[in-house]
Amino acid sequence: VVSASGGLLAREDVVVSARVSGAEIVSLLVDVGDTVKKGDTLAQLNDQTLTAQLQQADANRAAAEAAIAQAEGQVASATANATQTTSALDRSRQLRRDGAVSQSALDQAQAASDGANATVQSAQAAVAAAKAQLAQAEAARDIAALNLSWATVQAPVDGIIADRTARLGDLSNAGMAMFDMIRDGQIEAELEIVETDLVKVNVGDPVSIRVAGLPPRDGTVRRISPQVDPVSRLGTVRVSIVDQAGLRVGIFASADIRTAQRTALTLPVSAVTTSGGVSTVQKVVDGTVQQVEVQLGVVSAGLREITAGLSAGDMVLL
């Protein structure tokens, strides 16, 4: 058994921050200690400006859609005109071969056809530009809608409100912490262990936790720090606690971590005497006390393991 002490803390802290700036906090719907579910509303920001920005974005998107329709109409008109001038050019070429029209008339028909085709290309470019403006307007609209949704501050996870720094009337600032939550309400112990004992501990080892003012309860080693403090020579372990009733962050806790368990021959520690590196016990044989050398194992709960020198059932003096 490895003994350790430390305190209780949240298994996972979650900070809820404002995501928009310049909006007044108009309502706070939870307080410290409240249990909330993911998606519950924690606070409400003034959304008048954000609503107006969304409406403006909707108007810009509608204008971009109208511009596309107008540009597509121009493409249709220019295409029809180009088709007509191309037909006229074909007729002029045939008539020129027959000698029925002059070269200047053919040149005029060619110029009209070229101009009509150029107008088609210009109209098509206008459609592409209008579509680009629509994409930009839709992106701006999505941002405005997202900002408006952020005016309602919601719980990102299930948990307990551990702290509230937001106040009514404050102006929000993007990144400003408003609430601190304990995810799923899970509290665990962080214990400090001397480095020579830390190497004996493994994830999953059973733990007996003693929390100040509360009955003892069971736990399990969940995580072992990969580092040891170079000054104190202490490392930390995180212990998950089965019974969460009455636990509060910051309460002192001590624990016994069971790192190994086996069946062994044992004696009370008072029955063993060690001198000059030799350990002995006073064994009683047929009413006579004999000093017997023994080999020792671990000490646990006031008992000393005897690995050699005695057998089960031997009688010794305390």
Side-chain angles (χ1 to χ4, degrees), residues 27 40 64 97 102-104 122-123 125 127 129 139 145 147 169 176 179 182 185 206 215 223 230 245 277 297 307:
S27 64
D40 286 353
R97 286 193 292 270
S102 65
Q103 181 62 42
S104 62
S122 177
V127 170
N147 287 336
M176 176 186 72
F179 302 92
I182 300 174
R223 191 182 71 189
T307 60

Side-chain angles (χ1 to χ4, degrees), residues 262 264-266 294-298 304-310:
R262 61 178 179 269
L265 188 67
T266 61
V294 293
Q295 300 297 318
L296 305 179
V298 298
R304 170 67 82 173
E305 181 183 11
I306 308 299
T307 60
L310 291 178

Side-chain angles (χ1 to χ4, degrees), residues 51-207:
T51 300
Q53 290 173 349
L54 178 60
Q55 292 172 345
Q56 182 180 12
D58 284 333
N60 291 339
R61 183 178 65 176
E65 291 173 343
I68 290 176
Q70 182 179 8
E72 288 176 342
Q74 292 174 348
V75 168
S77 176
T79 300
N81 185 49
T83 300
Q84 183 177 5
T85 57
T86 299
S87 298
L89 176 61
D90 291 340
R91 289 194 298 273
S92 294
R93 286 171 176 168
Q94 181 61 42
L95 293 173
R96 177 59 183 162
R97 286 193 292 270
D98 296 340
V101 297
S102 65
Q103 181 62 42
S104 62
L106 177 60
D107 292 341
Q108 290 177 354
Q110 182 68 57
S113 177
D114 293 343
N117 288 328
T119 302
V120 170
Q121 294 177 353
S122 177
Q124 290 173 340
V127 170
K131 288 182 177 180
Q133 290 179 348
L134 176 60
Q136 186 176 11
E138 288 179 337
R141 197 268 176 197
D142 291 341
I143 293 174
L146 187 60
N147 287 336
L148 179 59
S149 70
W150 285 342
T152 301
V153 181
Q154 297 179 324
V157 295
D158 295 351
I160 297 174
I161 304 298
D163 191 20
R164 187 185 79 179
T165 55
R167 299 179 303 174
L168 287 175
D170 282 347
L171 294 180
S172 66
N173 186 18
M176 176 186 72
M178 301 180 67
F179 302 92
D180 187 26
M181 294 179 58
I182 300 174
R183 183 168 190 166
D184 298 324
Q186 289 295 307
I187 295 175
E188 61 185 17
E190 184 174 75
L191 307 174
E192 293 185 325
I193 302 177
V194 67
E195 59 185 353
T196 52
D197 285 336
L198 186 64
V199 296
K200 305 174 185 177
V201 179
N202 294 290
V203 172
D205 284 347
V207 183

